[in-house]
């Protein structure tokens, strides 16, 4: 956290610790409540500090004088942790705060992720806010912060299950780029987790796996497959080795971009002939599909004229040529 | 079709299973299937039938155990046998016998609360405990970590992979996915279930029901304005029955 841009209460906490912050707030509440409210309602205050000060806010009964952002954050906290007493004390009806939910949640993540790990309830609220922002509000800007929380927790063996799920629920391949950065981490646990999360099942049977070995090799792989990957919805609740993103080998074989969640083509199939070809391709063994799709992609990239010619060959001939090697004779 | 020792296998030669037994139903399904079920020996086939039956039995037992549904953050266990991890999983306590710890879940279910994935793993252990002699089970599984599919013992790790089979068999693990789940209740993102045969599935937190009921329950847990219904995936999770049979043969010799 950039302490130069932080609020007075955050600076005080980071310099003197939580215990002294609570003591000074208690004291200020007795002597100068307005000044204390000015500090608590400061736009630069972090969610972590607000969370820490809930008992003091309660003791001084400051709920009605809190800013909309703060009171909404407390409402969200109360709802997620099922704290009925706090929900009642916070006072506002849910409908009155609904429009303020998004900015409050965004603030909770943007400023709260630094304090991730304060305690279990705090983390639970961050998980819920992240999940809502990503899935309901489709906010992609929080993804780097959410990734940071995932890896930070993983280093300490803390709960990552829901956060990993929420992260990939953005259904945006950008998530892969964010995770790939952790392949370059000097921390072994970061690299292991990144490698796990980026692993990709290339076949329906799950026996052809792409396991990233390094950032550069993964980067090359992603560059090659970016146009053909789609969101699968797999998570650790479902399988040991989820592949949240999978490669559509048929589309790669036909070199057709696939950039939507529901496997719709961004451009239509050119001809009936290609449809037939696709049907035959789907009957192939997985290893042959992988080989042909790679061969097709590379040739398309290298020489589209030759690729057009190659696509007219029957599948058996294409396969024979591909088996000779990716750089084989294509004339 | 069933092949044993490279020869088509006549299921009629196995007389030990009653006409309406689960083993007989599995045998019939396998023999009528387009898929070839290949076994090295008849005992390998019998082991799979037995373990599948025990997986189903364990599912029924767990459904009656009073173990509650709790999210990982609020999971609970009997700390006489298990240590609860920071992630909400349960790790077998040092010096505790795995058989006693697993049986305790079924005996004192009210002391336990967890999510559906953990329940599936508990079922596998209970089924194995019914098949393996107790001492063998204790020595094979001296370190158990119950949580999601991320922490599986190498002997049952294959149950964590999902693959598309040609045939669904009783005792398979299936998964109902709920793509439009309410983000505030991510634990309803899907339901792990055991196929109990006759169109019935057991999923922890929902119970024993037909697919339509499980889908209806999951659909109630979707976000506002949801458009996509929950549905049953085509994939299954299966332990490596042959590997387990080899371990069984080695250990009971």
């Amino acid at each position: 956290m950039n302490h130069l841009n932080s609020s007075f209460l955050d600076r005080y906490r980071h310099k003197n610790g939580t215990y002294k912050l609570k003591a000074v707030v208690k004291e200020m509440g007795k002597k100068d409540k307005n000044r204390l409210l000015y500090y608590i309602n400061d736009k630069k205050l972090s969610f972590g500090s607000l969370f820490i000060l809930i008992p003091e806010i309660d003791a001084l009964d400051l709920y009605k004088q809190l800013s909309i952002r703060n009171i909404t954050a407390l409402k969200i906290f109360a709802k997620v942790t099922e704290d009925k007493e706090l929900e009642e004390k916070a006072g506002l009806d849910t409908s009155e705060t609904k429009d303020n939910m998004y900015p409050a949640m965004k603030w909770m993540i943007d400023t709260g992720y630094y304090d991730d790990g304060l305690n279990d309830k705090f983390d639970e609220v961050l998980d819920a806010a992240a999940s809502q922002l990503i899935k309901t509000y489709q906010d992609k800007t929080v993804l780097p912060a959410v990734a940071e929380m995932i890896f930070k927790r993983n280093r300490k063996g803390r709960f990552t299950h829901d956060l990993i799920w929420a992260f990939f629920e953005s259904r945006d391949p950008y998530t892969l780029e964010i995770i790939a950065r952790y392949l370059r981490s000097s921390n072994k646990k970061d690299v292991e987790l990144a490698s796990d999360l980026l692993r990709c099942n290339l076949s329906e049977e799950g026996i052809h796996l792409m396991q990233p070995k390094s950032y550069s090799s993964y980067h090359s792989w992603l560059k090659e497959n970016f146009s053909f990957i789609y969101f699968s919805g797999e998570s650790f609740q479902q399988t040991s080795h989820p592949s949240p993103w999978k490669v559509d080998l048929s589309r790669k074989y036909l070199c057709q971009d696939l950039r939507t969640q529901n496997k719709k083509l961004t451009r239509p199939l050119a001809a009936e002939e290609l449809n037939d070809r696709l049907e035959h391709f789907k009957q192939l063994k997985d290893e042959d599909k992988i080989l042909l799709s790679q061969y097709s992609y590379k040739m398309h990239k290298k020489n589209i004229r030759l690729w057009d010619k190659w696509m007219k060959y029957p599948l058996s001939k294409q396969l024979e040529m591909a088996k000779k090697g990716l750089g084989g004779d294509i004339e | 079709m069933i092949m044993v020792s490279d020869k088509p296998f006549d299921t009629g030669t196995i007389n030990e299973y009653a006409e309406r037994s689960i083993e007989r139903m599995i045998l019939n399904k396998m023999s009528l299937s387009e898929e070839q079920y290949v076994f090295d020996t008849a005992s390998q086939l019998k082991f799979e039938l037995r373990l599948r039956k025990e997986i189903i039995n364990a599912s029924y037992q767990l459904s009656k155990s009073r173990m509650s549904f709790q999210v990982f953050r609020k999971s609970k266990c009997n700390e006489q046998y298990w240590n609860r991890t920071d992630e909400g999983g349960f790790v077998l306590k040092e010096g505790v016998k795995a058989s006693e710890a697993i049986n305790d879940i079924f005996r004192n279910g009210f002391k336990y609360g967890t999510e559906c994935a953990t329940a599936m793993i508990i079922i596998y252990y209970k089924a194995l405990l019914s098949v393996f002699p107790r001492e063998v089970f204790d020595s094979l599984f001296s370190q158990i970590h119950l949580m999601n599919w991320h922490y599986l013992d190498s002997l049952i790790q294959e149950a964590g992979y999902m693959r598309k089979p040609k045939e669904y068999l009783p005792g398979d693990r299936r998964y109902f996915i709920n793509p439009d789940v309410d983000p505030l209740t991510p634990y309803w993102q899907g339901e792990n279930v055991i196929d109990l045969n006759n169109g019935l599935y057991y999923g922890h937190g929902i119970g024993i029901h037909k697919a339509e009921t499980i889908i209806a329950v999951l659909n109630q847990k979707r976000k506002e304005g949801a458009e996509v219904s929950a549905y049953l995936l085509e994939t299954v999770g299966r332990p490596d029955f042959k590997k387990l049979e080899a371990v069984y043969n080695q250990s009971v010799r």
Side-chain angles (χ1 to χ4, degrees):
Chain A
M1 189 173 205
N2 183 352
H3 290 215
L4 290 174
N5 289 325
S6 57
S7 72
F8 167 76
L9 294 176
D10 284 309
R11 286 198 304 276
Y12 193 90
R13 171 160 71 101
H14 289 293
K15 193 174 171 193
N16 303 294
T18 300
Y19 183 77
K20 283 192 175 171
L21 171 75
K22 284 172 163 284
V24 83
V25 163
K26 200 174 168 187
E27 198 56 31
M28 210 187 292
K30 281 182 201 161
K31 290 179 181 167
D32 191 348
K33 213 183 243 189
N34 284 337
R35 191 164 150 236
L36 174 62
L37 278 166
Y38 172 78
Y39 286 138
I40 291 180
N41 289 330
D42 185 345
K43 280 184 180 169
K44 291 179 190 165
L45 184 82
S46 71
F47 174 54
S49 290
L50 180 75
F51 173 82
I52 286 166
L53 294 173
I54 291 175
E56 285 68 31
I57 290 168
D58 187 67
L60 294 161
D61 195 19
L62 301 178
Y63 295 110
K64 287 194 173 81
Q65 291 128 295
L66 290 178
S67 64
I68 291 287
R69 178 203 67 190
N70 285 348
I71 201 73
T72 308
L74 290 187
K75 283 287 263 187
I76 293 166
F77 172 78
K79 194 179 174 198
V80 172
T81 60
E82 295 173 345
D83 186 336
K84 301 283 174 211
E85 202 183 325
L86 178 61
E87 202 170 356
E88 205 171 296
K89 282 178 178 172
L92 287 173
D93 181 65
T94 316
S95 59
E96 287 177 67
T97 59
K98 209 170 180 181
D99 288 344
N100 304 309
M101 294 280 272
Y102 172 73
M105 284 182 181
K106 176 115 178 83
W107 168 73
M108 289 161 81
I109 293 293
D110 285 347
T111 67
Y113 87 93
Y114 297 101
D115 284 313
D116 182 55
L118 266 180
N119 69 26
D120 206 42
K121 282 194 172 178
F122 183 75
D123 291 0
E124 187 180 355
V125 176
L126 287 185
D127 283 7
S131 181
Q132 282 271 41
L133 285 169
I134 293 168
K135 207 163 158 65
T136 307
Y137 299 103
Q138 290 164 9
D139 183 330
K140 312 274 168 79
T141 65
V142 294
L143 292 173
V146 174
E148 186 58 33
M149 285 195 281
I150 290 170
F151 283 89
K152 190 175 157 190
R153 287 185 192 181
N154 181 59
R155 279 172 225 141
K156 294 178 181 170
R158 286 168 36 226
F159 186 66
T160 55
H161 184 85
D162 289 348
L163 215 45
I164 290 173
W165 170 80
F167 180 77
F168 284 112
E169 277 295 311
S170 70
R171 304 178 184 197
D172 188 325
Y174 172 50
T175 50
L176 298 174
E177 288 178 13
I178 297 172
I179 298 292
R181 290 175 204 154
Y182 290 88
L183 288 171
R184 290 190 293 196
S185 167
S186 55
N187 187 304
K188 200 179 152 199
K189 283 190 169 181
D190 286 359
V191 178
E192 280 170 2
L193 179 63
S195 186
D196 267 359
L197 298 178
L198 296 172
R199 185 194 287 123
C200 183
N201 283 333
L202 295 173
S203 63
E204 291 282 355
E205 286 78 19
I207 47 173
H208 298 92
L209 290 174
M210 185 289 300
Q211 179 88 39
K213 291 188 176 69
S214 66
Y215 176 77
S216 58
S217 68
Y218 182 74
H219 194 261
S220 308
W221 182 89
L222 189 59
K223 203 174 157 192
E224 177 177 324
N225 293 286
F226 195 83
S227 304
F228 315 112
I229 53 175
Y230 65 93
F231 181 69
S232 73
E234 284 185 6
S235 71
F236 281 118
Q237 195 200 56
Q238 181 188 339
T239 170
S240 307
H241 299 296
S243 284
W245 289 87
K246 290 189 175 181
V247 180
D248 189 323
L249 296 173
S250 311
R251 305 307 183 209
K252 189 174 175 183
Y253 166 67
L254 296 176
C255 293
Q256 287 179 315
D257 274 11
L258 177 70
R259 269 289 41 90
T260 57
Q261 300 160 9
N262 53 6
K263 297 179 86 176
K264 278 180 190 163
L265 291 172
T266 49
R267 53 187 163 119
L269 289 169
E272 204 177 300
E273 199 183 7
L274 277 180
N275 274 328
D276 292 345
R277 178 62 56 84
L278 192 59
E279 281 311 307
H280 286 119
F281 179 84
K282 284 176 181 169
Q283 309 297 322
L284 292 175
K285 286 189 290 184
D286 283 333
E287 55 260 44
D288 290 342
K289 283 184 201 164
I290 294 166
L291 180 69
L292 264 191
S293 63
Q294 269 181 327
Y295 188 80
S296 174
Y297 169 80
K298 291 197 179 193
M299 190 189 296
H300 184 271
K301 205 176 157 206
K302 201 171 166 185
N303 189 329
I304 200 155
R305 188 184 56 83
L306 285 179
W307 180 80
D308 278 339
K309 189 178 167 189
W310 180 77
M311 280 305 278
K312 289 189 175 71
Y313 292 141
L315 265 183
S316 54
K317 170 130 184 169
Q318 289 183 348
L319 204 52
E320 190 188 317
M321 290 166 78
K323 279 179 179 168
K324 282 182 186 167
L326 287 170
D329 179 14
I330 52 174
E331 277 293 351
Chain B
M1 181 180 200
I2 302 173
M3 298 286 287
V4 175
S5 310
D6 295 326
K7 288 176 197 150
F9 186 74
D10 178 9
T11 55
T13 60
I14 301 184
N15 300 318
E16 61 201 88
Y17 305 121
E19 196 53 41
R20 303 180 82 178
S21 67
I22 199 78
E23 293 97 330
R24 179 63 70 183
M25 284 177 197
I26 298 169
L27 273 173
N28 288 343
K29 264 199 153 184
M30 282 177 167
S31 56
L32 294 172
S33 171
E34 281 176 20
E35 190 168 357
Q36 266 201 4
Y37 290 91
V38 180
F39 298 93
D40 297 329
T41 61
S43 104
Q44 214 174 49
L45 167 62
K46 286 182 184 178
F47 182 88
E48 176 165 342
L49 296 175
R50 185 170 173 206
L51 190 51
R52 282 186 178 276
K53 186 187 81 176
E54 294 302 344
I55 288 169
I56 293 167
N57 286 343
S59 304
Y60 279 106
Q61 287 172 45
L62 194 62
S63 75
K64 293 175 191 156
S65 71
R66 292 194 291 155
M67 179 172 84
S68 60
F69 181 87
Q70 294 289 342
V71 294
F72 286 128
R73 284 194 181 282
K74 289 169 186 155
S75 67
K76 59 174 186 175
C77 58
N78 184 353
E79 291 183 3
Q80 199 183 330
Y81 298 95
W82 304 91
N83 287 319
R84 188 183 173 279
T85 69
D86 288 346
E87 290 186 288
F90 313 143
V91 172
L92 184 66
K93 273 196 161 178
E94 221 179 297
V96 167
K97 285 182 181 170
S99 56
E100 287 175 14
I102 291 295
N103 277 334
D104 185 67
I105 300 173
F106 291 79
R107 203 168 39 236
N108 292 309
F110 66 94
K111 292 183 179 175
Y112 295 83
T114 188
E115 294 196 11
C116 65
T118 320
M120 297 293 108
I121 300 163
I122 291 169
I123 286 168
Y124 286 126
Y125 280 116
K126 179 68 175 169
L128 287 166
L129 179 55
S130 303
V131 172
F132 283 81
R134 189 172 294 240
E135 319 78 61
V136 174
F137 180 86
D138 288 337
S139 79
L140 285 174
F141 303 108
S142 57
Q143 292 176 321
I144 295 180
H145 189 159
L146 301 173
M147 199 199 160
N148 58 17
W149 300 105
H150 203 38
Y151 299 106
L152 280 185
D153 189 285
S154 59
L155 280 176
I156 56 167
Q157 67 184 4
E158 292 79 6
Y161 298 102
M162 297 296 276
R163 287 171 192 173
K164 200 173 166 183
K166 287 196 178 134
E167 201 84 47
Y168 300 107
L169 297 172
D172 279 343
R173 174 172 73 90
R174 306 284 303 270
Y175 191 77
F176 288 87
I177 195 164
N178 193 12
D180 269 356
V181 65
D182 180 343
L184 283 181
T185 53
Y187 38 93
W188 291 115
Q189 65 185 265
E191 181 75 359
N192 282 285
V193 295
I194 295 289
D195 181 338
L196 301 175
N197 196 31
N198 290 331
L200 288 175
Y201 300 91
Y202 166 65
H204 179 57
I206 294 184
I208 295 172
H209 295 285
K210 288 191 176 292
E212 305 85 80
T213 310
I214 294 173
I215 289 169
V217 171
L218 290 174
N219 281 347
Q220 284 169 10
K221 312 290 182 186
R222 290 181 297 168
K223 64 183 179 186
E224 224 178 282
E227 289 171 353
V228 183
S229 169
Y231 60 95
L232 181 59
L233 291 181
E234 291 177 329
T235 49
V236 300
R238 290 171 178 167
D240 186 338
F241 294 102
K242 287 174 188 165
K243 180 170 86 178
L244 288 165
E245 193 257 354
V247 174
Y248 176 84
N249 279 344
Q250 237 171 14
S251 57
V252 296
R253 246 177 224 163

